[in-house]
Amino acid sequence: MTISVVVPLYNEERNVAPLVERIVAIVERLPDRPAYEIVLVNDGSSDGTLAAVREELKRRTNLVLVNLSRNFGHQLAATAGLELATGDPVVLMDGDLQDPPELIADFVEKYRQGYDVVYAVRRTRKGESAFKIFTARLFYRAIKRLTNVAIPVDTGDFRLMSRRVVEALRRSPERHRFLRGMVSWVGFNQTGVEYDRDERNAGETKYPLPKMIRFAVDGITSFSDIPLRFAAYFGFAVSAIAFVYAMVVIVAKLFRVNPPAYTPGWASTIVAVVFLGGVQLISLGIIGEYLGRIYDQVKGRPLYLVSDIERS
Ligand code: UDP
Ligand code: MG
C-alpha cells in the first residue's frame, strides 16, 4: 500500500512547513508503515509558497511538487493533484491546517476495513464567522434537497479515496467541479468520521463571499436541474393566475360591472408588467447559468496546465 496525500496550495507560504511536518509525522506512524508521497500543488501562488515547497523538497524525501501555470482555483488544483497522485489510497486535504492531518490515521483504519471513501464530517468549526457557519449549514442542507445524489451534510473535500474512486474522477471531464458531490456520485462504500475543524493556521481564507456564492452555484448546477424546472413551474403558475384574472375582466366587461373610480386599468397593468418582467429575467438568468456552463464545457480546454513537476 502506498498512500498519497494531495494538498492544493494558494498563497500558503507560512503553512507549508508546519503542514508537511504534521503530515509526515502521522503518516510515518501508521500501522505497517506504508510507503507514501505528499503531492503539493502550487496553484499559481503570488507569495513565497513555491519557494517554501522547494525548501521542503530539499529537506525531505517522498515529496512531489506540482507547479501549475497559473491560479486555476481550489477544485481544479485539487483535481491536478488527484490525477498526478499514484498511491492507493489517496487523501485530499486543505493546506491551511484546518483539516487536521492526524485524522488520516482514522481514514486509513476505515479504508483497511474495506471502505472506498472516508470523508471527514465537521462536528464544529473554529475560527470562522457566524455568517460563514450559518451560510455553510444552509448550503449543505439546500443542496441535499435539490440534488438526487446523496451528498453528506457538513462535509468538505477532506477525505480518503481508494484508487478506483480516483480513477472514476479522472474519467469525469467536467469543468465546473464540485468534487465532494462527484465523489458521492461515484458510489461504492462510503463512510464518514467526525472531527472538530480547526482555525486556519496562518494567512486568510481564499473563499470570500462572491467566491463562496459561485462555488455554491457550481454545486447546485452540477447536480440538479431543479432550478430550470422551477422556472417552468413558475411560468405555469403565473399563466394560471393571468388566465383567472382574464376571466374576471371579461365577465366584468360583459355584465358591465362598474370599474373603480380611479384611472381604469392602471394599477393592474403596472403590476402585471413589472411582475412578469421580473419572472422572465429570473428565468433567463437561470437558463444563462446553465448555458454558460455548457459553453465552458464544449470549448473543451484542458482543466489545468502543469508548469513543472519536481520530486524528492
Ligand atoms: N486554494 C487553492 N486555490 C485557490 C483557492 C484556494 O489551491 O484558488 C486552496 C487553499 O490554499 C487551501 C484550500 O484550497 O489549501 C482551501 O482554501 P481556504 O482554506 O481558503 O478555504 P476555506 O477553508 O476558507 O473555505
Ligand atoms: Mg481553510
Side-chain angles (χ1 to χ4, degrees):
M1 164 172 148
T2 300
I3 175 164
S4 298
V5 180
V6 172
V7 192
L9 298 165
Y10 177 56
N11 293 350
E12 306 281 7
E13 58 182 354
R14 277 154 62 215
N15 293 324
V16 172
L19 173 79
V20 174
E21 175 86 48
R22 274 174 66 183
I23 297 176
V24 169
I26 184 67
V27 174
E28 293 195 342
R29 267 194 288 121
L30 287 174
D32 302 336
R33 310 195 85 238
Y36 69 91
E37 64 172 359
I38 303 175
V39 182
L40 302 164
V41 183
N42 175 38
D43 186 18
S45 301
S46 54
D47 68 350
T49 300
L50 182 59
V53 173
R54 287 204 166 116
E55 199 56 41
E56 291 301 313
L57 260 79
K58 271 188 228 150
R59 294 178 47 213
R60 300 172 191 274
T61 54
N62 302 324
L63 300 191
V64 184
L65 160 66
V66 178
N67 193 25
L68 300 184
S69 66
R70 63 170 172 83
N71 179 253
F72 281 90
H74 176 203
Q75 299 286 299
L76 292 178
T79 301
L82 291 177
E83 294 191 352
L84 291 160
T86 55
D88 180 10
V90 180
V91 172
L92 175 62
M93 63 185 293
D94 285 356
D96 57 359
L97 290 170
Q98 281 197 291
D99 302 335
E102 292 69 31
L103 210 63
I104 294 175
D106 302 21
F107 286 175
V108 170
E109 197 185 311
K110 293 274 185 197
Y111 171 74
R112 286 188 163 135
Q113 289 168 13
Y115 286 101
D116 282 277
V117 175
V118 189
Y119 50 83
V121 184
R122 298 158 180 176
R123 196 185 304 131
T124 59
R125 308 169 68 122
K126 260 182 272 176
E128 289 177 311
S129 66
F131 179 76
K132 175 140 186 173
I133 294 174
F134 174 73
T135 46
R137 277 185 66 87
L138 198 72
F139 168 66
Y140 288 121
R141 276 144 193 89
I143 198 155
K144 198 187 166 82
R145 287 185 150 264
L146 284 175
T147 63
N148 33 26
V149 175
I151 301 172
V153 296
D154 301 328
T155 301
D157 289 323
F158 185 25
R159 55 187 64 220
L160 170 146
M161 289 163 269
S162 66
R163 176 59 26 202
R164 57 179 177 171
V165 171
V166 175
E167 289 303 318
L169 293 182
R170 289 177 65 135
R171 285 166 49 199
S172 311
E174 60 199 79
R175 286 204 72 76
H176 292 269
R177 296 172 94 76
F178 185 64
L179 280 171
R180 56 200 75 167
M182 293 169 68
V183 173
S184 300
W185 172 87
V186 167
F188 301 121
N189 297 322
Q190 310 208 357
T191 188
V193 293
E194 289 201 327
Y195 78 116
D196 299 301
R197 187 157 165 86
D198 285 331
E199 270 175 65
R200 199 169 228 288
N201 180 57
E204 51 199 51
T205 176
K206 302 336 180 264
Y207 274 100
L209 188 62
K211 248 197 195 174
M212 255 167 66
I213 293 174
R214 219 181 318 146
F215 185 57
V217 174
D218 274 348
I220 291 167
T221 50
S222 300
F223 284 92
S224 176
D225 58 1
I226 290 178
L228 279 176
R229 271 185 275 146
F230 174 81
Y233 295 153
F234 217 66
F236 280 119
V238 171
S239 305
I241 294 168
F243 180 76
V244 171
Y245 184 63
M247 286 300 144
V248 171
V249 170
I250 291 168
V251 169
K253 182 88 187 160
L254 288 178
F255 294 94
R256 298 182 196 289
V257 180
N258 279 336
Y262 59 84
T263 315
W266 184 80
S268 53
T269 308
I270 291 295
V271 168
V273 167
V274 169
F275 182 65
L276 284 178
V279 169
Q280 285 171 4
L281 287 178
I282 292 170
S283 307
L284 262 182
I286 293 173
I287 296 170
E289 282 297 327
Y290 285 86
L291 187 65
R293 280 166 176 73
I294 296 171
Y295 176 54
D296 272 348
Q297 192 69 39
V298 295
K299 279 187 283 189
R301 290 182 189 153
L303 298 182
Y304 56 85
L305 290 176
V306 176
S307 167
D308 34 311
I309 299 178
E310 295 164 29
R311 293 168 198 278
S312 71

